[in-house]
Amino acid sequence: MKRINANAVIVHSSEGQVSAKSLGDLSKASKENGIEVIYILSVPRWSFHVPQTLFEMNEEALWEKYQQKNIEDYRVQIKEHQREIQSLETGNIKVIPVAEDLCTPQCRIMSNDGTPLYYDAHHLTLTGAQKIRPSLKPIFQSE
């Protein structure tokens, strides 16, 4: 990390795929080199393949499935993982939540024009990535 003059490491994964221990180990090693760890929390996951579901379902059935998750559901789902991350106390982990960009308060699976925000159950399309851009923008701005 030092050889390339990195000042930060950005970590993102699906919910629960990065353990607090692994993140803590990375954080300690990074801190020794003056490098910040930026951890982007997971996006809301769905129990179905979003584009396939959009294609196959009629509007009424889609609305029922679409209403199944909101921001509070997501917060409950990640609460334990978030608590573990906050308990690390390494001082160089910056946590970036992005779910609020997709859940206002209902979590969205498509844009206003009907474009899917996900290309499966938990990976964002470019349209979905544009939705979380406001939360990520400060990471890439120069100081």
Side-chain angles (χ1 to χ4, degrees), residues 1-24:
M1 289 188 262
K2 234 4 179 175
R3 285 185 279 143
I4 60 170
N5 278 340
N7 62 2
V9 173
I10 300 171
V11 179
H12 170 70
S13 73
S14 294
E15 171 196 326
Q17 297 299 310
V18 172
S19 71
K21 182 188 178 326
S22 297
L23 196 58

Side-chain angles (χ1 to χ4, degrees), residues 7 9 31 39-40 70 79 97 101 130 134-136:
N7 62 2
V9 173
K31 190 173 188 176
Y39 181 50
I40 302 170
N70 63 44
K79 185 177 183 177
D101 295 325
Q130 288 296 326
S135 292
L136 301 180

Side-chain angles (χ1 to χ4, degrees), residues 9-118:
V9 173
I10 300 171
V11 179
H12 170 70
S13 73
S14 294
E15 171 196 326
Q17 297 299 310
V18 172
S19 71
K21 182 188 178 326
S22 297
L23 196 58
D25 292 346
L26 174 63
S27 177
K28 287 175 189 167
S30 298
K31 190 173 188 176
E32 292 170 5
N33 292 295
I35 297 171
E36 178 182 36
V37 174
I38 299 169
Y39 181 50
I40 302 170
L41 288 175
S42 64
V43 298
R45 292 179 66 105
W46 297 93
S47 60
F48 54 90
H49 188 279
V50 173
Q52 181 179 351
T53 301
L54 291 173
F55 179 75
E56 292 175 351
M57 295 187 109
N58 65 44
E59 195 171 317
E60 186 176 314
L62 178 61
W63 183 252
E64 288 297 316
K65 191 162 220 143
Y66 188 45
Q67 295 300 311
Q68 71 174 314
K69 188 177 297 203
N70 63 44
I71 191 64
E72 289 307 317
D73 297 330
Y74 170 81
R75 288 178 181 144
V76 167
Q77 191 176 340
I78 68 159
K79 185 177 183 177
E80 181 61 24
H81 181 64
Q82 205 166 12
R83 187 195 60 72
E84 291 172 352
I85 301 303
Q86 290 169 343
S87 72
L88 291 173
E89 297 182 14
T90 58
N92 69 323
I93 299 177
K94 181 178 185 177
V95 177
I96 307 290
V98 294
E100 288 80 1
D101 295 325
L102 299 167
C103 306
T104 56
Q106 290 303 123
C107 298
R108 301 180 58 147
I109 58 172
M110 63 184 168
S111 66
N112 291 338
D113 68 1
T115 304
L117 300 181
Y118 294 81

